[in-house]
Amino acid sequence: MSIHEDDSGLGSDLAESEVFNTDYKQFLQNQIDAVLTSEREKQSGLDRREELHIAIDLCKKKIVEMDESDDAKRQQILDLMVELRLELEQVEEIQAKDPAASVTRWQGHEFVLQSLRGRNPYCETCVSTIWRIAQAWRRCIKCGFRTHDKCVKKVNDKCAAWIVGKPGFEFDLRICPEKTLLSQNYECFSCNRAISYESGSDAEPRLCDYTGQYYCKKCHWNDNMIIPARVVRNWDFQPRVVCRSVKKLLITASKKPIIQLEKLNPALPSYIHSVSEICKLRKQILLMKCFFLCCRLSLQSARNLRILQHLNRYQHFVESSDRYTMEDLIALHSGNLLQEIQDIVKIFRKHITEECETCRGNAFVCELCSNKETIYPFDDSASTCRTCCAVFHKTCFSTASRRCPRCARREARKCAILAEMNEDGQDKN
């Protein structure tokens, strides 16, 4: 064979190989396009970054299924994966510069891409480990829900923060309104997975003490939480098992002042001493608030005494006297809340009755007796007229059958003015 013949054969082989490689690369790209078209029909909100992840996963699957002898095809797949990876990095870099572009909204969640560093978390959707280095994952910035990026559209549970943030949200105060498996069609209440006691441990139904519904093992991890209904109805703080979505709901709503304890269970203060005491202290705080609003030195004195810093944790205490958070009730049961509020009330009382001349000047003197000692509406021995807010000794006010002399004077003055107006009208006529 001549040199020219040899060169001609080598050139022919290279050309044939190039055509083969180009054809396979185009074939692979066509497959990717077909898969993406199918995914777009299933998920209307698919963005470019999600499409790139799907394409890369398909390339990985092709490499795993490929024979070891297909080196040429393997190389083509690897080259395509490199191109896809570079494009993915560019897309993620653009999204990092514009955080709004990297937020994926689903079921009320706002999922944001997380970094590759740190410990490997757990995906709450597919219940498997998230390998940060190899797998993109997202976390809801509102409720903390963690999931693989590829599992976002499989999330069934609505965002707990989104639910709690709705106007008029309240806890379900029915004590474990248990349903039957038949009423759920033998399906998990969250993901509709088949559950049954007769199908083995993998399909074992798990009851949530808050909703009374049954869930599968993926949606119910046997987490223990204190149930609001049992606290309000029975003052029972024993933790009980709840599903994952309820756990997030209870944690998110634990700082929301939505429990009107005295209205929901009026008899509770009669049986629980700590509840009776905190109700009394909260009414005193609202009465003391009136003095602070009129006190020119209160803000400066409060800062010096760190009063405002204490109240920042209990802002709802100065807005109403009957609303509690779950954290309040848990702290009250442990004894911490009552002691802390007692200390704050002592600081308030000292400022009003001893340290501030303006507050002392707003004190009252009982008009129903000869005792000229000043009294305050938040004193245990004081009673307040509901009409004019005048303050009297409790025993004096009860003896006078709760007839207020200030209201009597006002009524007499009003009658006199009306009489004068009538006389003037008659004179003109």
Side-chain angles (χ1 to χ4, degrees), residues 273-387:
H273 174 72
S274 59
V275 175
S276 175
E277 286 296 308
I278 198 66
C279 290
K280 182 178 72 175
L281 290 173
R282 290 196 60 177
K283 291 183 174 77
Q284 291 180 358
I285 288 176
L286 286 183
L287 294 171
M288 293 176 177
K289 175 186 174 182
C290 299
F291 284 83
F292 289 129
L293 292 175
C294 300
C295 177
R296 292 172 297 178
L297 303 177
S298 62
L299 291 178
Q300 182 178 356
S301 301
R303 288 194 184 96
N304 294 336
L305 296 172
R306 290 186 157 181
I307 293 177
L308 297 181
Q309 292 184 11
H310 288 295
L311 289 179
N312 281 341
R313 296 180 55 193
Y314 308 105
Q315 187 62 38
H316 52 287
F317 277 29
V318 296
E319 295 172 355
S320 67
S321 63
D322 62 340
R323 292 187 177 272
Y324 297 84
T325 67
M326 271 301 294
E327 286 189 353
D328 292 338
L329 299 181
I330 293 171
L332 179 62
H333 180 256
S334 67
N336 298 329
L337 177 65
L338 185 59
Q339 183 60 51
E340 187 173 0
I341 298 302
Q342 285 174 340
D343 293 340
I344 293 175
V345 169
K346 286 179 182 178
I347 295 172
F348 283 7
R349 181 184 291 274
K350 185 176 181 181
H351 169 82
I352 294 171
T353 61
E354 300 178 17
E355 298 175 343
C356 179
E357 293 183 6
T358 303
C359 291
R360 289 205 309 271
N362 288 326
F364 292 82
V365 175
C366 181
E367 298 183 43
L368 299 174
C369 67
S370 58
N371 188 347
K372 301 303 178 184
E373 182 182 1
T374 56
I375 54 177
Y376 299 89
F378 47 81
D379 289 336
D380 292 334
S381 60
S383 287
T384 303
C385 174
R386 295 183 178 181
T387 305

Side-chain angles (χ1 to χ4, degrees), residues 141-248:
I141 58 177
K142 296 196 295 185
C143 71
F145 193 98
R146 297 166 297 180
T147 180
H148 285 107
D149 187 50
K150 63 183 180 180
C151 295
V152 167
K153 298 302 172 65
K154 299 177 183 178
V155 175
N156 296 311
D157 298 327
K158 296 186 182 299
C159 177
W162 178 73
I163 295 173
V164 172
K166 285 185 175 180
F169 169 80
E170 293 181 353
F171 288 119
D172 186 350
L173 296 180
R174 297 173 296 169
I175 297 179
C176 193
E178 186 174 351
K179 308 296 190 301
T180 63
L181 279 175
L182 179 60
S183 66
Q184 294 183 207
N185 198 26
Y186 293 90
E187 294 179 346
C188 171
F189 184 73
S190 179
C191 68
N192 298 325
R193 182 185 178 189
I195 52 176
S196 172
Y197 288 108
E198 300 177 355
S199 302
S201 60
D202 290 339
E204 175 192 357
R206 292 183 175 180
L207 176 67
C208 174
D209 194 81
Y210 179 83
T211 64
Q213 306 284 357
Y214 289 92
Y215 299 81
C216 66
K217 295 175 69 174
K218 282 191 174 183
C219 301
H220 193 315
W221 297 2
N222 284 330
D223 296 304
N224 287 280
M225 295 292 293
I226 296 173
I227 309 300
R230 295 185 181 275
V231 171
V232 172
R233 304 302 183 193
N234 301 328
W235 204 240
D236 179 5
F237 289 84
Q238 179 67 33
R240 287 174 170 81
V241 291
V242 296
C243 63
R244 292 294 296 171
S245 59
V246 166
K247 179 183 179 181
K248 287 189 176 295

Side-chain angles (χ1 to χ4, degrees), residues 49-194:
R49 190 191 53 75
E50 292 171 329
E51 291 179 353
L52 290 170
H53 277 293
I54 293 172
I56 292 171
D57 290 340
L58 181 61
C59 291
K60 291 179 181 178
K61 183 179 179 181
K62 288 291 183 183
I63 291 177
V64 172
E65 295 174 351
M66 188 174 293
D67 295 335
E68 296 182 359
S69 59
D70 294 334
D71 292 334
K73 290 183 179 180
R74 185 186 301 275
Q75 187 60 46
Q76 287 295 305
I77 297 174
L78 291 174
D79 291 342
L80 182 58
M81 283 183 63
V82 170
E83 294 176 11
L84 294 171
R85 282 284 185 185
L86 289 173
E87 185 180 353
L88 179 61
E89 289 180 6
Q90 291 176 354
V91 172
E92 291 180 344
E93 185 178 352
I94 293 172
Q95 291 181 343
K97 292 178 180 179
D98 183 10
S102 64
V103 176
T104 298
R105 292 174 174 83
W106 181 258
Q107 298 283 42
H109 296 277
E110 292 186 7
F111 290 110
V112 176
L113 279 172
Q114 302 299 303
S115 67
L116 300 178
R117 299 180 180 179
R119 300 168 65 180
N120 294 322
Y122 220 65
C123 176
E124 299 181 50
T125 305
C126 64
V127 195
S128 62
T129 303
I130 300 173
W131 302 102
R132 286 174 176 260
I133 296 178
Q135 298 173 321
W137 70 288
R138 291 177 178 268
R139 183 176 182 273
C140 177
I141 58 177
K142 296 196 295 185
C143 71
F145 193 98
R146 297 166 297 180
T147 180
H148 285 107
D149 187 50
K150 63 183 180 180
C151 295
V152 167
K153 298 302 172 65
K154 299 177 183 178
V155 175
N156 296 311
D157 298 327
K158 296 186 182 299
C159 177
W162 178 73
I163 295 173
V164 172
K166 285 185 175 180
F169 169 80
E170 293 181 353
F171 288 119
D172 186 350
L173 296 180
R174 297 173 296 169
I175 297 179
C176 193
E178 186 174 351
K179 308 296 190 301
T180 63
L181 279 175
L182 179 60
S183 66
Q184 294 183 207
N185 198 26
Y186 293 90
E187 294 179 346
C188 171
F189 184 73
S190 179
C191 68
N192 298 325
R193 182 185 178 189

